[in-house]
Amino acid sequence: MSGFDVRTAQLDDIPFLVEAIRESERLSGDSNECMYRRIYGLTETEVTKLIVETLSSETEGHQLSLGSFLVVSHDYAPVGCCAHWIEQAGVRASGTRLAMIISRSIGLSRWRARAAAVRTLSASAPPRSVGALQLESFFVTPEFRGRGIVRKLVEAAITSVERLESPPSFAEISLLVENEPATRAYYKIGFEPVIGASMASEQFAELTGSGGFIQLRRSLASPTDQRRKLAPNT
Amino acid sequence: MESILSRLQPVFREVFEDESLTVDRGSDASSVDGWDSLAHVNLVASVEEEFGVRFALGELEDLQCVGDMVDLIERKLKA
């Protein structure tokens, strides 16, 4: 992996992140649309505006916050990214934070008009575990795929939370079941499916064309455990 | 003068469609049935309308309970 650097996203990365988020939220099937477009009934231009505004909103702790993103760069150009944050409870939950921001961006009346679609999404998405490291919106540019960049991002995200006063005990990823290549990639780096996490409904399938979400988890060994693992056998 | 908390009571009752709902400073999303993301958006909009204030997204980040909301409204009204 020489020549690749992982860093926290900066304002200059927003154009790359917009494309990355659109790709990572793309639905499979005929429409090939971004999830945000389908849920909120937006045009392509409005989706871009929504993502740019949300990334620029200086909020934290959700999947569209600039500070949540790690970026892998090669020769100073971004080639991959993922969002990471620790899920919080109550009105600080990522879903609530994001709902507040999106409602401001698209306007309250429009938000209320899409309430049924938002409820369908909420009811189908596996609940995020409070206190867990959340990982989402993985994207690697096509020419750099297969070079271990997803692994590098996951390791960097785990390293970033290891020294917290109360480090998370596991990492969690939710993704659409149709995204099989990504699911296989996560299995290779230690993630396992959470049985019974999928709650796909007919309404969700009708709305998005997707069979629902799969949720994956990976236990996070404490730094002490990791040092023990690295120590030579005696 | 009517307290901020007492002015919030009917707002909560309307948003959560519960005429018997009573909130105190310690009430939060875990103690009020139905306080999910959709309800939160409606609650913030109704509170802004009731008090004639507009919350910045950054101000809403720190809210955890009704008491935080009362304090925030008080700060906005004094500003």
Side-chain angles (χ1 to χ4, degrees):
Chain A
M1 286 289 290
S2 63
F4 292 96
D5 292 310
V6 185
R7 56 177 172 75
T8 305
Q10 302 158 358
L11 284 171
D12 290 352
D13 294 312
I14 287 182
F16 174 78
L17 295 178
V18 169
E19 289 313 308
I21 291 165
R22 292 176 76 103
E23 280 302 313
S24 66
E25 293 289 336
R26 196 167 289 287
L27 296 163
S28 60
D30 297 339
S31 72
N32 209 26
E33 284 175 356
C34 175
M35 175 82 87
Y36 292 109
R37 181 173 179 182
R38 189 57 69 90
I39 298 297
Y40 300 107
L42 306 175
T43 63
E44 287 290 325
T45 309
E46 287 171 330
V47 170
T48 300
K49 178 176 170 280
L50 169 69
I51 299 173
V52 169
E53 282 183 2
T54 311
L55 286 171
S56 312
S57 67
E58 295 184 356
T59 56
E60 294 178 352
H62 58 82
Q63 55 271 50
L64 292 184
S65 124
L66 185 64
S68 294
F69 274 92
L70 293 171
V71 170
V72 173
S73 58
H74 179 70
D75 288 342
Y76 304 104
V79 298
C81 66
C82 80
H84 77 301
W85 72 97
I86 306 279
E87 185 66 10
Q88 295 191 48
V91 296
R92 289 178 155 191
S94 57
T96 302
R97 286 172 189 251
L98 194 54
M100 202 59 241
I101 298 162
I102 293 176
S103 68
R104 288 280 172 94
S105 176
I106 69 174
L108 193 59
S109 56
R110 198 163 184 187
W111 161 266
R112 284 176 171 157
R114 301 301 296 180
V118 176
R119 278 196 198 286
T120 298
L121 173 64
S122 306
S124 294
R128 298 182 190 278
S129 304
V130 174
L133 171 63
Q134 300 294 320
L135 299 168
E136 194 165 311
S137 299
F138 281 87
F139 174 76
V140 179
T141 52
E143 60 270 39
F144 286 97
R145 287 177 190 166
R147 295 174 68 171
I149 289 178
V150 167
R151 180 187 292 270
K152 192 87 174 162
L153 284 163
V154 169
E155 285 172 357
I158 292 171
T159 301
S160 74
V161 297
E162 269 176 358
R163 293 185 190 282
L164 295 177
E165 200 173 313
S166 306
S169 58
F170 60 90
E172 210 165 60
I173 303 176
S174 298
L175 68 164
L176 294 174
V177 291
E178 293 80 17
N179 202 346
E180 290 170 7
T183 306
R184 283 196 295 274
Y186 299 136
Y187 285 165
K188 275 187 193 167
I189 52 176
F191 282 86
E192 295 176 347
V194 179
I195 306 300
S198 179
M199 299 179 291
S201 63
E202 277 180 32
Q203 292 95 321
F204 185 73
E206 222 169 83
L207 180 68
T208 63
S210 168
F213 290 89
I214 179 172
Q215 191 175 46
L216 311 175
R217 274 187 203 156
R218 173 180 153 175
S219 174
L220 301 181
S222 70
T224 313
D225 291 341
Q226 286 182 350
R227 276 196 296 276
R228 199 174 294 138
K229 203 184 287 179
L230 291 171
N233 290 327
T234 51
Chain B
M1 186 178 148
E2 198 179 8
S3 75
I4 291 171
L5 184 59
S6 62
R7 282 176 70 186
L8 279 175
Q9 300 290 355
V11 176
F12 270 83
R13 287 178 181 176
E14 190 182 336
V15 169
F16 293 96
E17 296 175 346
D18 180 353
E19 280 308 307
S20 63
L21 177 63
T22 302
V23 292
D24 56 35
R25 286 186 61 91
S27 302
D28 61 15
S30 67
S31 61
V32 176
D33 277 349
W35 195 338
D36 58 13
S37 58
L38 280 148
H40 189 66
V41 169
N42 286 327
L43 177 65
V44 169
S46 298
V47 170
E48 287 179 333
E49 193 179 343
E50 166 66 21
F51 290 91
V53 295
R54 176 78 167 168
F55 301 122
L57 287 170
E59 293 172 324
L60 297 169
E61 292 265 289
D62 295 329
L63 294 187
Q64 285 200 79
C65 60
V66 172
D68 293 337
M69 186 175 273
V70 169
D71 295 343
L72 176 59
I73 294 166
E74 194 174 2
R75 285 200 302 276
K76 299 292 282 188
L77 292 176
K78 277 183 184 167

